Structure formats: structure tokens, C-alpha cells
């Protein structure tokens, strides 16, 4: 399911490979670096980081809620790597560029530049002429109210209804819609920002947010560690802070902050457990920002400030593996980063594995196994239907592939499964030490699958030569389907759920209330997932009377229950279905509902009506996914 939403997000990126011109060949005079950097061209960026790279970014920007724009200056400190390079190429999308200047002596002098026509996927290439190879270049710009990486919410769309709200979502290639950048994970830079806004909103960034900051419309930030552009983040609104521990806490709207802090109260324990496994947390504070329900993802690992959907706040902490996931990215992703989305599994697969280890450390093996089982059942169901080339974790070097599908269930769940396979073969102690060494070795670098494999060969495989074969590794990384060597998961909790479901389907007898009262979200999910394509309306009614699925506040249950009711013609659920998809914008939860609706003419009509009402409150990413689905369905009718 997760993959489907991500697939749709990646669909936008599909054309990228075709519309790119090849980067010019390296110039002979370039001195060879001591360690050859892998030539792994990022098809989603116009930047030429092997010629010149941003080392530091200083932003001086204003957040304008009336105009729905972010504008001001971006000043880059540059590292000129190629001694003959005379241009700085930046990625932009829908930005208005007012002027470009270069620092010369102590003064700023205008530079010539050209903003190319907009490519639908990549945006507009900004080519700046820098014959003097200036150490600093400054761009004055304004974002568009339709910036793909920002959402602007009116006060009515917020919890408190008093103040407007805005937030960014830069991954995968949306940072360029609010800052001109070398928008590729191959470039890492430090940043600082001076941000002004109306004085009644709090502004936060993926940087050193001060829990005690006062609202005055004038904020400064520093991110002293080098980060890739997709981790640039900003949010502003009626945000208050509540601590969880000395280094962790929650930012949220006042009406939400207590519930969120309670739900996420285990965060400090999660940080400590991850440090125990993989070494110190290197980013100083770890705070979470709870976004409005329109946030299109579950979470986003913006450094020092994960962005979190409110849909995981269900009152019993059963969905906090999402926090474990975003926290885990502080090692896998933010510290050691994929060098392009083609190596997505290095971020998401490693993170899903670490997430599961955190869940196991805090909540026990059984909970961790249930989570693995849910993810793997979905992967098993889906992988066979995917194009062969997208079933492998990584594309063999030299293979040209559509730049799609980098972040599917394959990256997340086959990736985590591969690491669990290695853990079982080498033993937990050895594998934990290896992974810790890997995070240290590649800290603050962006790497390819092949760099991981080389490192693993030297530091794991060759050290214990008979534990895994080369062929097994090749099959995991480059093969299709699920390898025969995949470890199986056992869950007692799920056996009990299976038994209850089978008994009910056979006899109509619902399980004992004492039993189901103790079920956690994962068991309800598993209970529903095993129901098959359809049930009778009477059966659905019986379940609804007993468990009140229709109208549930738990999105993980809703995203499974509503499609089942639609397929089965259980029309009583319709008003609540409409409410759900109009209130929530998280794609993973609502796309399965839309997908089921569009299969019939009445369903399609309902989907269109709901979408029309929801659209002003949806994020551009969600709008894009729903629009694409509705257009396809309408064309097919
Ligand atoms: N980094 C991802 C979100 C993302 C991926 C945004 C690709 C844009 C492109 C984040 O860490 C993530 O994986 N979020 C998941 C939650 C997780 C528990 C699997 C999500 O949003 O569903
Ligand atoms: Zn992730």
C-alpha cells in the first residue's frame, strides 16, 4: 500500500531521464581526488557538482502569508572543484529570479544568468555565468504561490482556526521550488537562515530550533552539519513546544500538543536505544513537529525536527513505529545518504530495518514481528505485479532504467528484509557492530549501493567467508521477487487473529470480547487484511456493530476497512468515507480508498465530489496523485 502512494509520487519523476542533457565530460586538467568519487549522475538535477559545489547556504528570507510566497536572498559559499569551470548551475522550479550577484572584493557585482524554460519534472535550469569563479554568489528570488514544495493553509484549515499555517516538503525534488539550489543529495552543505514573518506565528526549520524562542516575527537558524537539499525544511504557524526529555520534544498547535506529547512520550527511550545500537545521536536535539492532517506523508526526517502526520496519534501508542522510523533516519539517510533516488533503499531499507530494531528494543519481539509481517505480506502480494526491473533493490551499474520506483515497497521492505537476512547469517552481535561501523565510516557522505557492497565485502563478508555466498548477495541486491533465503517471521498475535477470523467466517460467531479488547492496531489490520475480496453486507454490518470500524479515528484501520466496504457494496459507510478522504491528506491512507471508489461509476462520482470539496485543503502532492487517478479512471469509462 505504502508503495502505491510512493509510486504515484515518483510518477512525476518518470520523464526525468529523457529530458536531461548529458553532463559534459570531465575536463582533463582536473586533479584526481585521492578517492575517486563514483560517477553516479543524478538524473533529477541540472547541477554539476563535480565542477562546483555549494559548501554553505545563507538564507535571508521573508515568509509572506498574504502573497503565499517565500522570498529574499540565498547566498552560496562555493567550492570550485574544477579549475576550468566558469558557470554555476542551479535547480529552480517556478521561482522568480530578481537578480544574481557575485562577491568581488568586498562588494557585490551583478552576474549574467539565464533561466531556462520549465521542464515539467525538473523545473527550470538556472545557469549563472561566473567567469571570476566567485567564492560567494547571491540570488534574489521569490517562490510561487503554487510552489510544489510548500503548502499554505488558511486559519480555517488549522486546528485552532486563528492563524494561518505553512510547511515545506522538499523530498524528493521540491526544495528547488522554495530555494534555488543544487537539488541533489550528492551535494551537502551547512546552512543558516534569517527568516521574517508576521509576528504572531512561530517559524521552525530543520535546524537549531530553540524550545524557548519567543514569537516576534524575526528568527534565526543554524544547521552546522552538512545536509543534502531534500532535508531543507521550514514550517510556520500557531506552534507551541512541550518537552519530552532534555533533548527532545513536540511542536504542535496548542490544541494538539498535549495529546501528541503523551503519544510520543517514548521518544527519548527510542533515541537511547538507537544510540546503544549504532552510536551517538549526532544532531543535538531531536524534536517532532505535528502537522495538520493534510500532510501528504506519514513522516519526514527533517534533521533535528521530524515532520509527523497527526494520523498516528490514536491514543494508545500503537503507531509510534513511525517515530522510530523518522528517528532512525538520523543515522540511515541523514548521516549516510543515498547519492541519488536510484539508491533509495540505502535510505529507506536501512531505516525500515533500524525502525524495527527500535520497536523490538522498546516494545518487544512480538510487536516488531507483527510490523514485519504486515509489511512483508503487502510486499509479497505486490512484487509479482511490478515490472521486473523495479523488483530489485538496486539497478546494476550500467543498466538504464526509468528513474521511477526508487522508493517503493521494494526499497523499504525488501531492503529491511535483506538486512535482517544478513543479521541472521552473521549473528546479531557481529552485524550490529558492522552497521555501527558503516554509519561511522560514511558519516556525512552520500553513497551508492556499490559503495555499500564494497564496504560490506571488506568488513563483513570477507571476514566470515562461508556465511553468505556472492550469489546470495547478488540475488538480494539485483534479483527480482523475494529470494528463497528470506527469513520467515512468526507472530503469535497473528495466529490468534487468524484463528478468530477463520472461526467467524465459518460460523458467524465473533471472537470473545476479552480477546479482541486486548488487540492492538496491528492485529485489527491483520484481521481485516485476511478477509478476502468481499464480504456480504450482513457480515460487514455485524463487524461494524461490534467494532465500529466505520468512522474509526485510526487511519490504518480506515484504509483497509473502507475499500472492503466499497468492494462489497456496503453503502452505509459512504458518508464516513467521504469525511475521511476530505479531512485527511496523507496519501498512503486515502489513495487505496480513492482507488477502490473509481472502479464503479457511482464510486467515481463520489470520489470526484469529495475531491472537489477537499482540494483547497490538500497538499499539491496529494492533489497531483488524486488528479492523476481521477483522470485515468474518467478516461477509462
Ligand atoms: N523520507 C520518507 C518520506 C518520503 C519518501 C518523502 C520519498 C518523499 C519521497 C519518510 O521517512 C518515510 O518513509 N515516511 C513513511 C513512513 C514510514 C513509517 C514508512 C510515510 O510517509 O509513509
Ligand atoms: Zn523513511
Amino acid at each position: 500500500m505504502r508503495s502505491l502512494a510512493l509510486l504515484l509520487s515518483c510518477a512525476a519523476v518518470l520523464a526525468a531521464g529523457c529530458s536531461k542533457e548529458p553532463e559534459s565530460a570531465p575536463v582533463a586538467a582536473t586533479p584526481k581526488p585521492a578517492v575517486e568519487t563514483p560517477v553516479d549522475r543524478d538524473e533529477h538535477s541540472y547541477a554539476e557538482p563535480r565542477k562546483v559545489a555549494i559548501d554553505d547556504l545563507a538564507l535571508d528570507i521573508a515568509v509572506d502569508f498574504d502573497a503565499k510566497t517565500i522570498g529574499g536572498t540565498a547566498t552560496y559559499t562555493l567550492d570550485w572543484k574544477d579549475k576550468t569551470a566558469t558557470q554555476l548551475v542551479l535547480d529552480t522550479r517556478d521561482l522568480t529570479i530578481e537578480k544574481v550577484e557575485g562577491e568581488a572584493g568586498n562588494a557585490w557585482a551583478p552576474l549574467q544568468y539565464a533561466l531556462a524554460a520549465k521542464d515539467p519534472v525538473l523545473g527550470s535550469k538556472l545557469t549563472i555565468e561566473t567567469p571570476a569563479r566567485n567564492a560567494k554568489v547571491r540570488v534574489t528570488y521569490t517562490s510561487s504561490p503554487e510552489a510544489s514544495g510548500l503548502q499554505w493553509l488558511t486559519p480555517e484549515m488549522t486546528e485552532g482556526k486563528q492563524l494561518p499555517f505553512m510547511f515545506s516538503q522538499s523530498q524528493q525534488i521540491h526544495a528547488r521550488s522554495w530555494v534555488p539550489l543544487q537539488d541533489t543529495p550528492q551535494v551537502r552543505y551547512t546552512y543558516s537562515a534569517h527568516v521574517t514573518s508576521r509576528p504572531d506565528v512561530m517559524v521552525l526549520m530543520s535546524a537549531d530550533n530553540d524550545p524557548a524562542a519567543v514569537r516576534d516575527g524575526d528568527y534565526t537558524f543554524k544547521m552546522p552539519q552538512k545536509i543534502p537539499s531534500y532535508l531543507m525544511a521550514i514550517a510556520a504557524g500557531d506552534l507551541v513546544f512541550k518537552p519530552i526529555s532534555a533533548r527532545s520534544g513536540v511542536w504542535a498547535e496548542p490544541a494538539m500538543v498535549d495529546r501528541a506529547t503523551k503519544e510520543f512520550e517514548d521518544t527519548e527511550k527510542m533515541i537511547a536505544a538507537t544510540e546503544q545500537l549504532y552510536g551517538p545521536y549526532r544532531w543535538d536535539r531531536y524534536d517532532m513537529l505535528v502537522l495538520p492532517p493534510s500532510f501528504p506523508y506519514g513522516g519526514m526526517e527533517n534533521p533535528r525536527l521530524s515532520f509527523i502526520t497527526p494520523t498516528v496519534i490514536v491514543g494508545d501508542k500503537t503507531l509510534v513505529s513511525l517515530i522510530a522510523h523518522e528517528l532512525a533516519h538520523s543515522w540511515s539517510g541523514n548521516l549516510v545518504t543515498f547519492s541519488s533516488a536510484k539508491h533509495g533503499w540505502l535510505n529507506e531499507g536501512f531505516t525500515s530495518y533500524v525502525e524495527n530494531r527500535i520497536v523490538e528494543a522498546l516494545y518487544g519481539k512480538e510487536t516488531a514481528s507483527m510490523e514485519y509481517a504486515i509489511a512483508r505480506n503487502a510486499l509479497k502480494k505486490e512484487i509479482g505485479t511490478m515490472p521486473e526491473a523495479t523488483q530489485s533493490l538496486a539497478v546494476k551499474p550500467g543498466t538504464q532504467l526509468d528513474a521511477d520506483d526508487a522508493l517503493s515497497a521494494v526499497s523499504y521492505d525488501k531492503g529491511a528484509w535483506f538486512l535482517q537476512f544478513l543479521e541472521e547469517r552473521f549473528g546479531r552481535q557481529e552485524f550490529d557492530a558492522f552497521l555501527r561501523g558503516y554509519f561511522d565510516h560514511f558519516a556525512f557522505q552520500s553513497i551508492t549501493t556499490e559503495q555499500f557492497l564494497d564496504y560490506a565485502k571488506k568488513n563483513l563478508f570477507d571476514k566470515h567467508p562461508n556465511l553468505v555466498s556472492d550469489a546470495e548477495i547478488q540475488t538480494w541486491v539485483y534479483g527480482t521477487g523475494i529470494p528463497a533465503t528470506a527469513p520467515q517471521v512468526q507472530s503469535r498475535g497473528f495466529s490468534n487473529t487468524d484463528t478468530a477470523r477463520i472461526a467467524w467466517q465459518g460460523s458467524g460467531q465473533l471472537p470473545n470480547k476479552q480477546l479482541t479488547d486486548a488487540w492492538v492496531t496491528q492485529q485489527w489490520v491483520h484481521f481485516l487484511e485476511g478477509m478476502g475480496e468481499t464480504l456480504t453486507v450482513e457480515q460487514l454490518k455485524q463487524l461494524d456493530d461490534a467494532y465500529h470500524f466505520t468512522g474509526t479515528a485510526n487511519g490504518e484501520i480506515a484504509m483497509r476497512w473502507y475499500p472492503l466496504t466499497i468492494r462489497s457494496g456496503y453503502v452505509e459507510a459512504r458518508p464516513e468515507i467521504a469525511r475521511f478522504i476530505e479531512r485527511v491528506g496523507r496519501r498512503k491512507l486515502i489513495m487505496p480508498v480513492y482507488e477502490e471508489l473509481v472502479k464503479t461509476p457511482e464510486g467515481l462520482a463520489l470520489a470526484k465530489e469529495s475531491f472537489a470539496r477537499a482540494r483547497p485543503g490538500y497538499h499539491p502532492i496529494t492533489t497531483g496523485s488524486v488528479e492523476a487517478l481521477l483522470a485515468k479512471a474518467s478516461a477509462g469509462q
Side-chain angles (χ1 to χ4, degrees):
M1 284 296 141
R2 164 198 302 155
S3 67
L4 208 61
L6 289 168
L7 259 162
L8 285 162
S9 81
C10 296
V13 149
L14 195 79
C18 339
S19 55
K20 272 308 290 137
E21 60 211 318
E23 197 181 1
S24 44
V27 179
T30 312
K32 258 200 170 171
V35 184
E36 183 102 37
T37 33
V39 180
D40 178 43
R41 169 115 191 81
D42 183 349
E43 287 150 10
H44 300 137
S45 170
Y46 287 113
E48 300 173 338
R50 277 178 285 279
K51 295 183 178 171
V52 55
I54 297 172
D55 218 29
D56 179 73
L57 163 71
L59 289 173
D60 195 340
I61 52 176
V63 176
D64 185 337
F65 279 98
D66 296 325
K68 297 188 178 166
T69 60
I70 285 183
T73 59
T75 305
Y76 317 95
T77 304
L78 299 169
D79 176 8
W80 289 92
K81 294 174 189 289
D82 176 342
K83 298 283 175 286
T84 66
T86 55
Q87 286 182 335
L88 169 65
V89 178
L90 300 178
D91 295 297
T92 76
R93 183 185 295 121
D94 301 328
L95 296 182
T96 305
I97 306 296
E98 201 179 299
K99 62 180 170 185
V100 182
E101 300 155 293
E103 198 183 43
N106 276 333
W108 290 95
L111 293 175
Q112 301 269 334
Y113 66 91
L115 187 64
K118 179 180 171 179
D119 174 277
V121 175
L122 299 183
S124 304
K125 176 180 180 176
L126 175 62
T127 308
I128 302 168
E129 300 301 331
T130 46
R133 303 152 57 76
N134 312 63
K136 282 184 196 253
V137 165
R138 179 165 84 185
V139 176
T140 306
Y141 73 98
T142 312
S143 69
S144 150
E146 276 81 47
S148 63
L150 301 176
Q151 187 182 8
W152 300 86
L153 300 172
T154 60
E156 303 73 58
M157 296 172 190
T158 67
E159 200 82 32
K161 316 259 181 256
Q162 300 301 314
L163 294 174
F165 200 106
M166 67 84 50
F167 64 89
S168 66
Q169 170 55 41
S170 296
Q171 196 180 10
Q172 204 58 265
I173 51 170
H174 301 290
R176 65 190 65 178
S177 74
W178 63 282
V179 191
L181 278 169
Q182 289 180 308
D183 198 5
T184 164
Q186 299 182 0
V187 176
R188 307 180 72 101
Y189 54 87
T190 52
Y191 83 83
S192 60
H194 173 230
V195 185
T196 57
S197 71
R198 49 188 277 176
D200 51 359
V201 300
M202 177 59 74
V203 178
L204 304 172
M205 289 192 81
S206 51
D208 62 339
N209 300 294
D210 175 6
V214 284
R215 288 188 206 186
D216 60 0
D218 192 300
Y219 307 93
T220 54
F221 303 93
K222 255 197 168 4
M223 172 39 88
Q225 287 120 319
K226 287 183 176 252
I227 60 159
S229 58
Y230 76 90
L231 296 177
M232 291 295 293
I234 188 166
D238 187 5
L239 292 166
V240 293
F241 179 80
K242 192 163 175 177
I244 288 172
S245 69
R247 58 171 165 176
S248 182
V250 172
W251 288 94
E253 281 196 64
M256 195 61 161
V257 76
D258 287 333
R259 272 204 299 146
T261 311
K262 184 90 193 75
E263 196 87 19
F264 305 151
E265 67 186 0
D266 294 339
T267 304
E268 176 58 40
K269 285 187 202 138
M270 290 186 177
I271 306 171
T274 324
E275 288 186 311
Q276 194 69 36
L277 287 167
Y278 307 119
Y281 176 76
R282 304 205 200 197
W283 304 87
D284 193 23
R285 296 194 57 82
Y286 180 77
D287 294 321
M288 290 153 284
L289 167 64
V290 179
L291 289 158
S294 69
F295 185 52
Y297 291 101
M300 179 63 214
E301 65 271 28
N302 297 316
R304 299 183 182 214
L305 184 69
S306 286
F307 283 19
I308 305 293
T309 173
T311 61
V312 293
I313 303 170
V314 287
D316 62 6
K317 301 201 267 184
T318 53
L319 299 178
V320 295
S321 58
L322 181 114
I323 306 299
H325 180 98
E326 303 314 333
L327 170 68
H329 272 304
S330 308
W331 285 261
S332 44
N334 298 4
L335 197 58
V336 182
T337 308
F338 55 22
S339 66
S340 75
K342 272 183 286 190
H343 306 278
W345 80 282
L346 292 179
N347 275 24
E348 299 302 343
F350 277 64
T351 296
S352 300
Y353 171 80
V354 173
E355 164 196 338
N356 201 266
R357 293 295 304 273
I358 299 171
V359 168
E360 183 186 326
L362 267 81
Y363 308 110
K365 186 88 189 160
E366 175 58 25
T367 304
S369 297
M370 287 196 284
E371 300 225 318
Y372 262 161
I374 291 171
R376 288 172 187 179
N377 287 342
L379 176 69
K380 280 189 233 166
K381 211 164 131 189
E382 190 181 330
I383 197 164
T385 71
M386 296 169 67
E388 282 212 343
T390 62
Q391 294 181 24
S392 62
L393 283 181
V395 179
K396 260 197 179 138
T399 315
Q400 200 49 48
L401 186 69
D402 277 338
D404 195 4
D405 302 326
L407 291 166
S408 69
V410 170
S411 314
Y412 284 82
D413 304 317
K414 190 174 172 179
W417 213 340
F418 173 42
L419 297 190
Q420 195 203 11
F421 158 79
L422 293 177
E423 179 204 314
E424 293 203 350
R425 285 292 175 91
F426 292 96
R428 189 165 263 201
Q429 208 182 355
E430 183 66 24
F431 188 67
D432 287 356
F434 161 75
L435 219 48
R436 184 177 181 147
Y438 162 80
F439 291 134
D440 281 341
H441 183 81
F442 291 112
F444 300 105
Q445 293 184 45
S446 303
I447 67 164
T448 62
T449 299
E450 288 64 42
Q451 280 173 288
F452 162 70
L453 287 176
D454 286 349
Y455 181 83
K457 182 167 161 44
K458 286 196 197 82
N459 296 282
L460 189 65
F461 309 155
D462 287 355
K463 274 192 177 166
H464 310 275
N466 299 317
L467 296 181
V468 348
S469 73
D470 228 23
E472 285 172 330
I473 301 292
Q474 292 291 314
T475 302
W476 269 105
V477 178
Y478 300 116
T480 58
I482 292 156
T485 56
Q488 296 308 310
V489 254
Q490 294 296 337
S491 153
R492 264 181 294 114
F494 280 0
S495 318
N496 144 343
T497 313
D498 285 327
T499 310
R501 185 194 329 95
I502 293 163
W504 173 69
Q505 285 191 312
S507 67
Q509 188 74 41
L510 285 170
N512 190 316
K513 189 168 177 311
Q514 256 173 322
L515 183 80
T516 51
D517 277 353
W519 280 4
V520 291
T521 301
Q522 289 72 14
Q523 286 170 292
W524 288 111
V525 162
H526 188 68
F527 183 66
L528 290 175
E529 285 192 331
M531 290 296 176
E533 271 299 291
T534 56
L535 294 176
T536 65
V537 169
E538 293 69 36
Q539 284 177 309
L540 289 161
K541 176 106 181 57
Q542 189 191 2
L543 292 178
D544 226 2
D545 287 345
Y547 308 125
H548 312 289
F549 290 135
T550 301
T552 174
N554 188 321
E556 294 287 336
I557 293 173
M559 70 173 275
R560 282 137 179 128
W561 172 251
Y562 292 141
L564 178 65
T565 66
I566 298 165
R567 285 196 299 270
S568 308
Y570 179 65
V571 291
E572 284 94 320
R574 284 202 169 173
E576 287 298 331
I577 292 178
R579 265 169 48 111
F580 178 63
I581 60 180
E582 287 171 35
R583 190 177 59 81
V584 174
R586 182 181 172 192
R587 290 185 317 169
K588 174 192 145 173
L589 302 185
I590 62 172
M591 289 313 288
V593 179
Y594 272 110
E595 275 150 18
E596 213 50 66
L597 281 173
V598 302
K599 288 180 184 164
T600 66
E602 316 86 76
L604 179 59
L606 190 113
K608 283 183 173 166
E609 274 168 41
S610 279
F611 178 57
R613 275 195 294 272
R615 196 194 164 115
Y618 274 173
H619 186 280
I621 290 182
T622 303
T623 302
S625 299
V626 178
E627 257 177 358
L629 179 74
L630 294 179
K632 208 174 137 207
S634 303
Q637 287 214 336

